[in-house]
């Protein structure tokens, strides 16, 4: 079961997918794609940024049985929302075209690879054996502008990706087996009678 590190591991899985499919074209080196705030991209040409986490409606309540006498609080299911942003280093006259190419290829890669497995996963996500599902998510222009305007930075070409992870709980409890049951029946007088 994935640990608390699943959030970071999911972000890195998306980065690894993009690095494996987007180099050497349209981005020359894998190191130019990374987890980073889109507001300060440093040398990155494509950034992956976790902008929102929410509890999934699929989160189970209660405890899950682990063996005969142990139970663990059910895992927390989270929807992770990432913003993928292009940052061209091309001259001004070619910058927009370069960013469109980068974003177009990134969208194509995410759509063509909706399930991440194997070497793309690391840590507790890899150990769990469960695939990581990713998809392009709907984000209106107004929502995108809120993300950008809250930091007083000019809007950069971006799109959103969503994936879902589970985080295992550390809360456990010991339960005993039922050893004895006592049933008592109350007799009610019947109808009619003698």
């Amino acid at each position: 079961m994935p640990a608390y590190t699943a959030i970071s591991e999911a972000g890195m899985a998306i980065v690894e997918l993009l690095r494996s499919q987007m180099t050497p074209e349209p981005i020359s080196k894998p190191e130019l794609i990374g987890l980073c705030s889109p507001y300060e991209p440093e040398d990155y040409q494509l950034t992956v940024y976790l902008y929102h986490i929410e509890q999934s409606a699929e989160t189970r309540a209660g405890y899950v049985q682990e063996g005969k006498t142990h139970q663990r609080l059910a895992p927390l299911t989270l929807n992770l929302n990432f913003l993928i942003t292009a940052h061209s280093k091309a001259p001004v006259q070619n910058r927009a075209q370069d960013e469109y190419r980068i974003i177009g290829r990134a969208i194509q890669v995410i759509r063509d690879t909706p399930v991440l497995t194997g070497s793309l996963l690391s840590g507790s996500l890899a150990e769990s054996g469960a695939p990581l599902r990713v998809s392009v998510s709907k984000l209106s222009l107004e929502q995108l502008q809120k993300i950008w305007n809250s930091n007083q930075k000019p809007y950069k070409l971006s799109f959103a990706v969503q994936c879902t992870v589970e985080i295992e709980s550390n809360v456990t409890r010991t339960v005993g087996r039922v050893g004895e049951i006592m049933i008592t029946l109350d007799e009610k007088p019947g109808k009619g009678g003698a």
Side-chain angles (χ1 to χ4, degrees):
M1 181 64 66
Y4 67 90
T5 56
I7 295 171
S8 169
E9 293 161 1
M12 282 309 300
I14 294 169
V15 168
E16 288 305 318
L17 170 66
L18 295 170
R19 284 177 175 174
S20 71
Q21 300 290 316
M22 294 186 64
T23 56
E25 179 60 35
I27 297 176
S28 61
K29 297 186 285 189
E31 305 83 49
L32 298 176
I33 302 170
L35 287 179
C36 182
S37 164
Y39 316 117
E40 299 168 352
E42 303 299 323
D43 292 330
Y44 290 123
Q45 290 185 338
L46 190 68
T47 56
V48 177
Y49 177 67
L50 180 62
Y51 72 91
H52 184 67
I53 300 174
E54 62 188 359
Q55 183 174 335
S56 172
E58 297 173 16
T59 297
R60 293 176 279 163
Y63 284 79
V64 177
Q65 195 71 33
E66 289 186 340
K68 292 182 180 180
T69 61
H70 286 84
Q71 294 180 337
R72 181 176 302 276
L73 189 61
L76 176 64
T77 305
L78 299 173
N79 293 328
L80 307 179
N81 298 281
F82 292 92
L83 190 68
I84 299 182
T85 308
H87 307 275
S88 175
K89 305 302 181 200
V92 173
Q93 61 269 31
N94 299 331
R95 191 169 297 157
Q97 181 182 5
D98 193 36
E99 288 179 349
Y100 299 164
R101 287 177 50 251
I102 292 169
I103 284 291
R105 179 65 178 138
I107 291 171
Q108 182 183 48
V109 167
I110 296 293
R111 181 150 191 293
D112 288 352
T113 318
V115 179
L116 308 187
T117 59
S119 63
L120 294 174
L121 303 179
S122 62
S124 65
L125 285 182
E127 290 168 13
S128 77
L132 180 67
R133 299 184 188 291
V134 296
S135 62
V136 174
S137 60
K138 193 171 184 178
L139 198 58
S140 71
L141 181 59
E142 292 162 8
Q143 290 170 311
L144 277 169
Q145 287 175 336
K146 280 183 186 177
I147 292 169
W148 285 95
N149 290 340
S150 66
N151 290 286
Q152 294 151 354
K153 298 283 184 180
Y155 172 78
K156 298 280 293 174
L157 187 58
S158 306
F159 70 96
V161 170
Q162 185 177 74
C163 65
T164 302
V165 296
E166 286 188 340
I167 296 181
E168 181 180 55
S169 175
N170 286 330
V171 176
T172 60
R173 68 183 182 186
T174 303
V175 293
R177 296 184 61 112
V178 175
E180 184 177 315
I181 298 177
M182 182 182 293
I183 299 174
T184 306
L185 298 173
D186 291 334
E187 289 189 35
K188 295 184 179 179
K191 292 184 178 178

